[in-house]
């Protein structure tokens, strides 16, 4: 289990790099007027965090993705502590990202060693 918070600066940078400048991510003032009432982390940014943690902790050789299945169940607010839980055995792993004990993202990853 690992945890972290994403800062608005990190989310803004990811938005510029990815081209996803949706105000729900990169404009806190506009985001306050939208459905989640605050800025939320990009979903693919959460997935990148999961993949980085799983590969960094599990594989010591080069790997590639064989399959990836993700469900974005709820928003992950910028600045809130997110907890990553993983289960399963290599190369088939499951994950959940929780915020205040509630699942915001969950999925399954199947890796292939190269």
């Amino acid at each position: 289990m690992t945890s972290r918070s994403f800062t608005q600066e990190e989310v803004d940078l990811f938005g510029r790099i990815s081209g996803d400048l949706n105000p729900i991510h990169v404009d806190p003032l506009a985001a306050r007027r939208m459905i989640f009432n605050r800025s939320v982390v990009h979903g693919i940014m959460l997935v990148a965090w999961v993949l980085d943690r799983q590969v960094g902790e599990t594989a010591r050789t080069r790997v590639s993705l064989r399959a990836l299945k993700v469900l974005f169940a709820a928003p992950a607010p910028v600045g809130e502590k997110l907890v990553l839980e993983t289960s399963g055995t290599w190369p088939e792993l499951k994950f959940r990202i929780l915020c205040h004990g509630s699942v915001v993202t969950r999925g399954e990853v199947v890796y292939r060693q190269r």
Side-chain angles (χ1 to χ4, degrees):
M1 182 169 70
T2 186
S3 65
R4 71 158 296 177
S5 298
F6 289 88
T7 67
Q8 188 63 56
E9 292 77 22
E10 290 172 311
V11 172
D12 292 348
L13 177 59
F14 188 88
R16 287 193 302 276
I17 291 169
S18 68
D20 182 355
L21 300 175
N22 186 325
I24 197 75
H25 304 299
V26 300
D27 187 341
L29 183 60
R32 271 186 277 182
R33 292 184 227 126
M34 295 181 181
I35 190 169
F36 303 127
N37 200 31
R38 64 192 300 180
S39 299
V40 297
V41 179
H42 300 267
I44 195 66
M45 194 173 184
L46 296 172
V47 171
W49 174 45
V50 169
L51 298 177
D52 178 66
R53 298 305 308 157
Q54 286 182 340
V55 171
E57 292 177 358
T58 307
R60 300 295 177 227
T61 60
R62 295 184 64 165
V63 298
S64 60
L65 287 178
R66 190 168 138 223
L68 174 64
K69 181 179 178 180
V70 180
L71 172 69
F72 299 105
V78 172
E80 294 290 333
K81 180 181 175 182
L82 303 174
V83 176
L84 171 61
E85 297 178 343
T86 59
S87 62
T89 56
W90 186 261
E92 298 181 17
L93 300 172
K94 294 182 180 187
F95 66 89
R96 298 184 331 155
I97 299 174
L98 299 99
C99 183
H100 301 290
S102 296
V103 175
V104 296
T105 305
R106 68 175 179 255
E108 302 172 16
V109 185
V110 180
Y111 295 97
R112 174 180 22 233
Q113 289 189 317
R114 299 197 259 163

